[in-house]
Each structure stands twice: as C-alpha cells, then as structure tokens.
Amino acid sequence: MTVEPTPLGAPTLELRGITKRFGALTANDHIDLEVRAGEIHCLLGENGAGKSTLMNVLYGLYRAEEGEILLDGEPQSFAGPGDAMRAGIGMVHQHFMLIPVFTVAENVLLGHERELGGLSGARQKVREISQRFGFHVDPDARIEDLPVGVQQRVEIIKALSQDAKVLVFDEPTAVLTPQETDELMAIMQQLRDEGTAIVFITHKLREVRAIADRITVIRLGKVVGQASPESSTTELASMMVGRAVELTVQKNPPVLTDNALVVSNLTVLDALGQKVVNDVSFTVRGGEVLCIAGVQGNGQTELTEAILGLQHRVTGSIDLNGNELIGDSVREVLDAGVGFVPEDRKVDGLVGDFSIAENLMLDRYSGAPFVRAGTVDREERDRFAAEKLESFDIRAQGIETPVGTLSGGNQQKVVLARELGRPLALFVASQPTRGLDVGSIEFVHSQIIATRDAGIPVIVVSTELDEVVGLADRIAVMYRGGIVGIVPADTSRDTLGLMMAGERVAGAPNPEPSKGAVA
Amino acid sequence: MTTQQPTAAQPHAETTQQPTAAQPHAETIELERAVVKHWKAPVSYAVLTLVALVLFVVASRDGSTTLRLASVGDFVALPDAVLPVRATGIVVVVLLAALTAVSTWLVATVRKQGFWLPLAFGVLFVVAFLVWAGADKMIPIPGLLFATVGLSVPLIFGAMGGVISERAGVVNIAIEAQLLSGAFSGAVIASSTGSAVLGILGAMLAGVLVSMVLAVFAIRYFVEQVIVGVVLNVLVVGLTNFLYSSVLTANPALNSPDRLPRIPIPGIETIPIIGPALFEHTVIVYAMFIIVPVIAWGLFKTTWGLRLRAIGEHPLAADTVGIKVNRLRFWNVALAGAVAGLGGAYFTLDTTGAFNREMTAGLGYIALAAVIFGQWHPLKATAAALLFGFASALQQTLGAIGSPVPSEFMLMLPYVITLLAVAGFIGQSRAPAASGKPYIKQ
Ligand SMILES: Nc1ncnc2c1ncn2[C@@H]1O[C@H](COP(=O)(O)OP(=O)(O)O)[C@@H](O)[C@H]1O
Ligand SMILES: [Mg+2]
C-alpha cells in the first residue's frame, strides 16, 4: 500500500517544549512533537537520546520541568499514569510492565478491577482483543511461562483494554525475532487503520522505513528535525547520529589458523535442573568470528558463562587448543587466554566506583606486571592505563575518573581495553554493543575484527540481527538451549528469523561437527 | 550495522499480511529438564529411622503408655488407648523403614514425593516418641491439642501480619514489637477501662503504631527495612520494660485486666478430641479462625489482594496502571500491625492475665520464620505456626508428666522439630520479588 498523506486534522496529541532534567543531565530539551489519529509516528534516536524519558513524561511517570501536553487541543496535567491512562494514552513499555507471577487476565485486570468487572470480565476482554488481532493468548497463562513475544502481546492487550487512542510502543522490536517484528508491524498498521494515533520508538532504521508515516528524529535530548519515510537508511542514520556514518563492517575473508575452540556436547543445568544449554557442539577456528544469534534468553548467556567457568552444573567438553576448560576456575580460564566481554558491563564487567586505572587491572591483581610483593605498582598501572586511554580513545577526564560516571560507549571501551590487553587464545563478547551509540559501535566492531584478524577464535553473542550479519563468518542460531543450526554469514534474514523461532530450515546445514541440535 | 539490503525494502507490501497467518504462540516455554535426583529426603528419613531404632527399640523402656482420648463432656467417651512401649517402637520403626524405602524408590524412579509421605513419617515418629516418653504414664491427647492451638495463636496472628506486610513489599521483622506492644497496651487499657473489648482495640492500635513507624521509615525515607524492624523490636522491649518497672509495678491496678471468658461453642464443643481442642476458647481464638481464611481468600480473590500482591512483586508495573504504590503499602503495613497487635492481646487478655517483661519471648521471630516456611501463604504459614505450637505443647505436656529426657533438651524440641520439618518440607520458596525494596518515584 502507499503511504497516504495523513488525514490532516488537528493533532490528537501535542507535546510542546517538554524539558526533563536528571540532575545536571538534560534528557529532554524543549521537545515538540505532534501525533495525529490514524498515523504511525516514528520517534527515531540513538540509545540515550531521550526517547523513553519523553514517553515517560507523556505517560505521567516522570514530571517534566517545563512544557505542556495537549490531547485533542486540551491541555492536560497528569499526576500519574492513572491520569494518562484515563485520558486515553496507552503504552507498551520497553521493559514490560507485567507482573511475572500473575496470569494474563490478572495483569489486564490490575488497576481496572471495577471497569472490567472482575477477573471473569478481564478474561473476556483478553479473549475479545485476542480475537480481533488474531493473537493466541491464554488468559489464564502465567506471564513468566510465556515467551517474550507473547508477553509483549499481553502488554498490547493491556493498553487496548483501556481503549487507548494514543498508543506508544517503546522499542518494541528489541526482543522479537524478525518474523515477530513483522507481525507486530501488521498489528500496528491495523491499529492505525482503526484510527489510533501511534508513536513508535526505535533506533532501527529498517523498521522506521518500513512502517512510518512520519518521522521525528531526536538527538541528545533535542529534536533535530522531521524526516520523510522515503529517506535512505544513510540519510536517517546521519540525521540520528549527527554525522555521516559507516554502516558496513569492513572485513577481509577469514584466514583460518590452527587455534581452535572445540565445544562438544555441552549441557548446562540451572538451579531447577532445566537444561538451559542443551547438548551444544561447535568449533571456532582462529581467524573467524562465530556469531551466536537468537532471541534473548535462549541459553546464550549460560553458554558464554560456561566457557568462562562461571556455571557450575556443566557436562561435555570445552577444549581450547587441547586444554580442557570445564572444571577450571575462572582464574585458570583467564590464564588460559580467554578474553571475555560480559553482556552486562555495569554488573559483571566493571566496578563502577573504581577508577579507570583500577578497572583496567582488575584481572591482574595477582602478580606481574602490576603487583609486586603484594602491593600495586601504581606507576606501572598508571602508565598502562594512560596508554589504553589513548589507544582505545576512552573519553574521560583522566585515568582516575570512576568508570561509573562514563557513558556506555566509554565504559565498554574500558572493558575491551582490559580484555584485549592480555595475550589471548580466545575472545568471547556477549552483546558487545548493547545500548551503545553508533560511534562506539563502529569502534567495538573494528576491535572485534582486528582480534579475529590476529588469528584468534572469536565468539560474538548478539540478539541484533544486523550486528550478527555484519560481523559473522558463520552464524549459530540458539533456541531453547540448543543450536538449531550453524549457517554461513550470507544466509537470508528470513531463514535466520525462522531459525530463531526454533524451526530447522531446509537448506540450513546441520551444525558440525555432527550433533548438537535439539529436536 | 550493515548495508545489506533490508528484506523489508518494500515494507508495506511485506508487512501487511494478517498476523493470523503466523503460527500460534499460545505455547509456554518449557525447557527440557535434566534428571536430577535429590537424595536429601530419603537420606533424612534413613537417619531419622536409625534414630528411632536406637531410641525406641534399642533403648526401649518397659511397660505401656496410656493415651487418653476422652475428655469431660464428650458426647461419646472414647476409651483410652493403651500401647505397649516396646511393641509400638518396633512396629513404628518397621513402618518408618518402609516409608524410607518408598521415598528411596520414588527418588530412584524420578517420581514426585507427595505431601503425605513426610506427614505420615512425622506422625508415626511423634506417636512413637510419645509412647516411649510416657512409659507407665498417661498422656491426655485432648489437652495436648488444646495447648497446641493455644500456643499457636500469637504465632499465627504474627505470621498473618508478616504475610500481609511482606506481600505488600515491606519486610516485617517488627512482628515481635507488634506482639509485645499489643500485649502491653491490651493489659493496660483493659485494666484501666475495665473493658476487654477496649483492651483488644488498644492492642491493635499499638500494633498499628509500631507498624506506622516501620512504614514511615521504610517507605518514606527508604531506610533498610530489616534494620528498622530490629531497632523497633529492641525499642519496644526497652520501652515496655521501663514502663513495666516504673509504672506497672507501682500500680498493680493497671496490670490486672479481666481475662476474656472462655466461650464453648454449644454442640460442636462435645465432639471428642477436636471439640475441646478447637471450640472452648476465647473470642480472640475464634477471631483467628475467621481471620486466617479471610486473609487467604482476600489475598487471592479480591481487588485488595491483587493490588497488594502487585505492589510487592513489581511496584513500577503497578504504578503504570495507576496504583498509588506507597500509599497502598503504608496502609497495608498498618493493617499488618493491627493483626499482629491482636495476637499480642492474646498474651495478656487470654493466657496470663497480666503483662510481664518480654513476655513474647522471641515468638515474633518464630512467626517470621513461619511466614518464610509457609512461603508467604496464609494457610501454609498457619500450618508452620501450628507445627511449632504442637512442639511447644509436647514439651509442656511431657515436662508435666515427667519425661526421661532432660528438660533443657525438651526446651529445644520445638525449635528442632521446626528445623527438621523445614529442611524436609521446604520446596521452591520464593519471596515477593520487591519485598524489602523501597519504591522510589522519579
Ligand atoms: N531515571 C534516570 N535517572 C538519571 N538519568 C536517566 C534516567 N533515565 C534516563 N536517564 C538518562 O537520560 C538519557 C536519556 O535516556 P532514555 O530516555 O532512556 O534514552 P533512550 O530511550 O532514547 O535510549 C540517558 O543519558 C540516560 O542515561
Ligand atoms: Mg529507551
């Protein structure tokens, strides 16, 4: 279908001059935005641009310092989300606002017990809305037992059960497979055609171009302008980032070396005895990047943690150049030459209150070159830190700056500088660019490729298909703890998407060495 | 990122397909499970069976034990059960060994251990112990059960206060303080006004006041809740001790409340064994019979319960649907205080008839333990409290008839039994996710 010019009428929703500060940080700086009924309005911006903050102001979760909100021309003042909801604003939050131990119907009922007429009314409502959109959602299923894709539908049902006329989707596709993303877009289009005003927040250009009727780009808390849905990806990217950006990962064909990580029949159990990693086998050779794709929570985290020695109920074999890693302590694994970028740098990668210099030597507190006779050689440490600050382009006042105060991109550079600072035999990076700005993403990617070109086996776990396709020499797709298949990097997105949903796709070869997949 | 052409380059055409075309997503996530065998239960049973063997067979005693089942006023008088000590010991040990074998078999064949197994094991063990300890003596079973209920009452009220508060997201270590202040003000108010009803209301009010201090510090000022609770416990002990020695000892009239009358419930009170155990109590106990199921029903079937559990699990999510999290927490913590305070009144208006320093003797902490062992569920917490009450009653009964076990050991009995039961029973126990975490709004 063609993008019809939106039926011009008064905007349903108008935000005027919204300003929101967190301490010294101005997350929203006089933002104007208008959304009309029957349009999908994309709010495009990098991580940290202030999109979620703006929407939380709209939803009454945050109070703006300045600015006003108008609905159908009427100024509104929302004391809390309750007011916003009553005014007809619904929101599908980036981090789902569902109570995991409640059922679907209970989540829909919560806060609207009277209007919905109790639990049976809520069940009825869930069925009605599911019917309308072709969802298959059981009103009595517990949220924590549902896959994320279905949980998101529950969020949508929640919003629709309140007859929202403005519906905000905050980064809804981050947790979805490509096919689920397509389904979501179809839902948004159906809602638009029924006359809902939709705000769609994302930083993924592909999606914006696919579905937007209008686009507003924000950068560093300010509106930088409107863009047409016909703009090219490059145009949108440079608007979003503020400079021309390189969207391709530059790399040469892999030159394989004899270094190898051979994982065979690896199974990891969680505390409940569930196989979070289920009989996984693969090989990574020096000089190649094996990307592990999949929707979040399908065992990727546990797999990387097992390699590092952080998981305890592990069977099978993890062989790095002839050295069995299972049973080794983390210390021994690191000494064997494993570099590791954890998926949550703030929790597992860094000590926020420590300085950059201290964080850079966290892995080498037990001996030369930084520790002599039990005391830290500060001169040596500071020399090393200053050198890394320079070579990794870490933007900070100095090596004494606490890493907690750095931006995400600079924090990740500290992690990389430390992990790549040792002689490596294997490099494992989990979600290495999550939440980073485009500049930092480029930097991280170039470091990963440089590591690969140095002849080191590299494993990258990523839920972003763009990143997987850009970095990988081969792609392993994980689903429910098993590897669905290992495929070449030029496999189509559709195929990868199906594999991410657990389908073994014709044409996708079986994972080598031979077994390792789950039925 | 990559320049690879997006597959959705002609997007609208591609994405307008009806979502119904997609495969159903109604399934839930079930990961394959590894066969993990937990040998904890059979091993514990085996150890206990060995203990039973040594105690009830090897170290058996001569004679027989009379278990009195009847009490005055029963509509049918049950005969006494006279059990020979040695034979009972042997039979029970054989049965215990059989249960151990069953449990071993269940684990070996990866089957579920039912609820009945530990229950049967426990009952058998206790019967054998009673018979062994009471050799040549008479043990009044109705009395034992009556004492069980009585000793459980404050625990159950305290546990209900704990359940409500923690389900709402505020850790309630201050149950001890709520009980003690309830006991104190119950005594004083009932004595000075001459009205037991006012005494009960006063006790609830005292519990509420303690709760409100907890709530203000925890909810308004984000102080670590465990610390506030502990401080309140110490504070109330100090305060009541001070008032007791400086005011009550000088004015005994302030500490001599009329005790609540026992009101036997006509008809059912004459049922053998359970009649006297359950239906010859004061209004406080009857109130408990009502409050426990009401809380259980309210928590899982009403709007109040839905919202209460929501703010204790995921306050931000509750906020996003317009629930005033902190206000709701405050009032529910206050309610928890009222319930626990009522339990406090039991000490002075039902059992003792006067306030005494530190008369709650740490039962608030046992109530807290019951909350956790009862997995934050009102009925299970009640069961845990009853177990402790039973163990205490057993200790008292055996102490009275003169047991072969040194009394110091007997005093440990309630705690040991609670500990063992917990180690054996406890399954997946999960606290309300946001319990203890203050909700801070931007
Ligand atoms: N609650 C908060 N307290 C302090 N800073 C915050 C808070 N929420 C967001 N920020 C900061 O505000 C900026 C914008 O964040 P956000 O709106 O989440 O960005 P986006 O959704 O566009 O990725 C970021 O720099 C972020 O660190
Ligand atoms: Mg965001």
Side-chain angles (χ1 to χ4, degrees):
Chain A
M1 68 181 262
T2 56
V3 184
E4 293 184 24
T6 22
L8 286 175
T12 301
L13 170 70
E14 248 189 295
L15 299 180
R16 288 193 193 147
I18 300 287
T19 299
K20 170 73 191 169
R21 298 191 188 89
F22 294 112
L25 177 101
T26 308
N28 288 163
D29 189 353
H30 296 94
I31 291 194
D32 298 321
L33 181 75
E34 49 160 76
V35 190
R36 301 204 178 99
E39 75 164 343
I40 296 176
H41 195 124
C42 268
L43 199 54
L44 181 64
E46 279 213 79
N47 281 304
K51 308 178 295 287
S52 297
T53 304
L54 183 66
M55 290 304 122
N56 284 333
V57 167
L58 167 63
Y59 196 61
L61 270 173
Y62 293 167
R63 295 215 78 128
E65 272 81 35
E66 290 170 43
E68 53 179 352
I69 299 169
L70 290 90
L71 266 177
D72 294 324
E74 296 288 312
Q76 306 285 326
S77 87
F78 299 145
D83 293 345
M85 231 174 336
R86 272 186 289 280
I89 295 172
M91 183 131 158
V92 175
H93 296 266
Q94 182 168 10
H95 306 285
F96 300 155
M97 292 300 165
L98 298 171
I99 290 155
V101 299
F102 280 14
T103 65
V104 171
E106 284 175 328
N107 269 288
V108 170
L109 180 64
L110 185 66
H112 313 285
E113 295 84 357
R114 284 262 175 71
E115 299 101 286
L116 289 173
L119 196 60
S120 57
R123 276 204 199 94
Q124 186 53 35
K125 197 88 187 175
V126 172
R127 284 201 203 93
E128 240 171 69
I129 297 171
S130 300
Q131 184 81 28
R132 202 167 113 209
F133 291 92
F135 297 167
H136 297 266
V137 175
D138 171 9
D140 297 315
R142 265 157 67 110
I143 296 296
E144 61 189 354
D145 297 332
L146 297 172
V148 270
V150 181
Q151 292 189 11
Q152 185 173 67
R153 286 167 187 214
V154 179
E155 277 280 70
I156 297 174
I157 292 173
K158 244 174 81 182
L160 293 179
S161 72
Q162 293 308 306
D163 303 317
K165 54 186 177 190
V166 178
L167 198 48
V168 179
F169 290 84
D170 192 356
E171 308 242 4
T173 59
V175 293
L176 302 182
T177 65
Q179 276 77 10
E180 285 172 325
T181 301
D182 286 348
E183 288 163 31
L184 175 70
M185 289 191 175
I187 293 163
M188 289 201 285
Q189 282 164 336
Q190 187 181 342
L191 283 165
R192 168 190 62 192
D193 297 341
E194 291 175 5
T196 312
I198 293 183
V199 182
F200 174 37
I201 299 179
T202 184
H203 62 264
K204 295 186 187 172
L205 306 171
R206 175 193 326 283
E207 294 166 358
V208 176
R209 297 180 62 235
I211 199 173
D213 297 315
R214 285 198 292 166
I215 301 172
T216 296
V217 184
I218 67 175
R219 185 192 329 140
L220 297 176
K222 290 197 179 107
V223 173
V224 289
Q226 308 270 327
S228 121
E230 278 83 35
S231 319
S232 73
T233 324
T234 335
E235 279 164 11
L236 288 175
S238 54
M239 229 177 137
M240 184 167 94
V241 182
R243 62 180 170 82
V245 283
E246 183 62 74
L247 291 172
T248 337
V249 179
Q250 298 291 353
K251 62 180 208 260
N252 301 319
V255 182
L256 297 185
T257 67
D258 285 338
N259 286 334
L261 174 79
V262 182
V263 173
S264 2
N265 306 108
L266 181 73
T267 295
V268 179
L269 301 184
D270 69 3
L272 302 175
Q274 303 191 95
K275 295 185 177 176
V276 281
V277 175
N278 191 347
D279 197 20
V280 159
S281 302
F282 61 86
T283 301
V284 200
R285 296 275 302 277
E288 69 165 347
V289 175
L290 176 76
C291 273
I292 299 185
V295 177
Q296 198 179 332
N298 276 288
Q300 302 97 316
T301 309
E302 291 82 1
L303 173 62
T304 55
E305 287 182 351
I307 295 174
L308 202 73
L310 285 166
Q311 290 280 343
H312 297 292
R313 301 167 80 185
V314 180
T315 55
S317 156
I318 302 174
D319 181 299
L320 180 60
N321 299 331
N323 177 3
E324 176 60 53
L325 295 185
I326 290 183
D328 284 3
S329 67
V330 176
R331 176 80 267 156
E332 288 163 333
V333 172
L334 293 181
D335 288 343
V338 178
F340 182 63
V341 177
E343 66 181 26
D344 190 340
R345 60 187 159 267
K346 285 193 193 125
V347 175
D348 300 320
L350 297 166
V351 182
D353 293 336
F354 281 19
S355 70
I356 294 176
E358 286 166 327
N359 270 286
L360 280 171
M361 61 157 291
L362 271 188
D363 56 335
R364 271 173 286 181
Y365 53 83
S366 57
F370 301 126
V371 178
R372 287 210 185 83
T375 50
V376 175
D377 181 344
R378 294 192 51 147
E379 238 167 73
E380 187 66 20
R381 183 194 75 182
D382 291 353
R383 205 190 46 69
F384 178 76
E387 187 236 303
K388 291 296 175 197
L389 208 66
E390 178 78 30
S391 60
F392 279 79
D393 188 27
I394 299 166
R395 310 259 169 91
Q397 276 165 354
I399 57 168
E400 295 301 335
T401 312
V403 292
T405 63
L406 301 180
S407 72
N410 284 306
Q411 289 183 349
Q412 193 71 323
K413 286 177 185 174
V414 174
V415 175
L416 277 176
R418 182 182 69 220
E419 297 301 317
L420 296 173
R422 285 171 280 148
L424 287 190
L426 171 69
F427 185 59
V428 181
S430 213
Q431 309 290 359
T433 61
R434 177 178 286 173
L436 300 193
D437 55 282
V438 170
S440 305
I441 293 176
E442 288 172 336
F443 181 85
V444 171
H445 284 174
S446 69
Q447 289 294 320
I448 289 173
I449 295 301
T451 309
R452 155 202 190 249
D453 292 343
I456 296 164
V458 175
I459 298 176
V460 174
V461 174
S462 178
T463 50
E464 298 270 343
L465 214 41
D466 286 328
E467 174 162 85
V468 167
V469 171
L471 281 177
D473 296 305
R474 286 187 301 140
I475 302 171
V477 182
M478 280 191 85
Y479 177 73
R480 295 193 183 177
I483 288 185
V484 183
I486 300 185
V487 294
D490 57 7
T491 308
S492 80
R493 276 163 194 281
D494 286 342
T495 310
L496 289 173
L498 289 175
M499 291 171 74
M500 283 161 74
E503 263 175 64
R504 289 158 123 310
V505 175
N510 264 353
E512 37 76 277
S514 63
K515 51 184 294 196
V518 279
Chain B
M1 301 227 182
T2 168
T3 48
Q4 191 170 347
Q5 261 311 304
T7 42
Q10 290 305 320
H12 286 83
E14 293 229 358
T15 49
T16 38
Q17 94 217 40
Q18 274 307 302
T20 26
Q23 85 264 38
H25 277 277
E27 19 134 31
T28 52
I29 2 168
E30 268 295 323
L31 286 180
E32 211 176 300
R33 269 170 194 274
V35 180
V36 191
K37 298 178 179 174
H38 292 288
W39 292 103
K40 184 177 80 177
V43 168
S44 324
Y45 294 141
V47 170
L48 285 173
T49 307
L50 275 182
V51 171
L53 182 71
V54 171
L55 201 58
F56 307 145
V57 179
V58 177
S60 183
R61 308 164 75 205
D62 293 322
S64 52
T65 304
T66 311
L67 299 182
R68 167 148 302 161
L69 304 178
S71 53
V72 187
D74 287 354
F75 68 82
V76 284
L78 294 178
D80 289 350
V82 182
L83 298 174
V85 177
R86 191 174 304 274
T88 309
I90 292 170
V91 170
V92 165
V93 168
V94 168
L95 289 174
L96 292 185
L99 285 176
T100 306
V102 170
S103 166
T104 310
W105 174 76
L106 287 175
V107 171
T109 54
V110 208
R111 270 168 243 246
K112 261 192 116 75
Q113 303 259 336
F115 179 77
W116 60 271
L117 206 150
L119 194 65
F121 197 97
V123 169
L124 280 172
F125 196 97
V126 166
V127 167
F129 182 73
L130 271 181
V131 171
W132 175 80
D136 287 332
K137 306 223 171 67
M138 189 276 293
I139 296 176
I141 298 295
L144 183 63
L145 294 181
F146 180 85
T148 298
V149 174
L151 290 166
S152 306
V153 172
L155 288 176
I156 292 175
F157 278 113
M160 292 306 108
V163 167
I164 293 174
S165 175
E166 303 221 347
R167 284 275 184 176
V170 178
V171 171
N172 192 359
I173 304 279
I175 298 174
E176 177 78 1
Q178 291 156 350
L179 289 175
L180 192 59
S181 60
F184 180 85
S185 55
V188 171
I189 292 176
S191 310
S192 49
T193 62
S195 155
V197 174
L198 285 181
I200 288 176
L201 290 178
M204 294 172 74
L205 190 67
V208 169
L209 288 179
V210 171
S211 262
M212 283 184 168
V213 176
L214 170 69
V216 166
F217 278 100
I219 297 169
R220 182 85 179 77
Y221 297 109
F222 317 129
V223 182
E224 172 60 44
Q225 296 168 8
V226 173
I227 295 177
V228 185
V230 170
V231 167
L232 277 172
N233 288 344
V234 176
L235 182 77
V236 171
V237 166
L239 194 66
T240 50
N241 278 354
F242 167 73
L243 290 175
Y244 178 75
S245 45
S246 66
V247 182
L248 296 193
T249 2
N251 308 288
L254 279 179
N255 193 16
S256 47
D258 286 337
R259 286 168 64 174
L260 291 163
R262 288 238 164 100
I263 310 171
I265 298 186
I268 44 180
E269 149 244 1
T270 60
I271 302 171
I273 303 180
I274 63 161
L278 294 178
F279 304 115
E280 288 181 7
H281 288 282
T282 62
V283 282
I284 295 186
V285 180
Y286 297 136
M288 180 190 84
F289 292 164
I290 296 169
I291 283 177
V292 170
V294 164
I295 290 177
W297 172 79
L299 214 44
F300 297 104
K301 297 284 179 224
T302 66
T303 299
W304 166 71
L306 190 72
R307 294 185 167 203
L308 176 79
R309 288 182 293 133
I311 58 175
E313 287 287 345
H314 195 339
L316 182 58
D319 192 355
T320 62
V321 292
I323 293 172
K324 304 252 183 318
V325 174
N326 285 333
R327 189 191 300 175
L328 197 58
R329 279 188 171 179
F330 182 86
W331 288 114
N332 277 303
V333 173
L335 174 67
V339 175
L342 181 54
Y346 177 82
F347 287 99
T348 43
L349 301 181
D350 189 313
T351 6
T352 330
F355 181 80
N356 228 317
R357 37 172 81 227
E358 289 164 56
M359 69 188 309
T360 49
L363 285 180
Y365 295 100
I366 300 288
L368 186 67
V371 172
I372 297 165
F373 304 156
Q375 305 178 355
W376 292 268
H377 190 291
L379 299 183
K380 291 185 191 170
T382 300
L386 279 170
L387 178 71
F388 183 87
F390 174 73
S392 307
L394 195 61
Q395 176 255 318
Q396 285 186 358
T397 309
L398 294 182
I401 62 168
S403 94
V405 187
S407 63
E408 288 81 3
F409 276 102
M410 289 307 296
L411 285 173
M412 281 167 44
L413 191 67
Y415 303 92
V416 173
I417 289 188
T418 308
L419 209 62
L420 286 178
V422 164
F425 266 116
I426 205 149
Q428 274 297 309
S429 179
R430 192 164 58 171
S435 183
K437 300 193 186 111
Y439 179 62
I440 306 173
K441 257 181 105 77
Q442 284 300 330

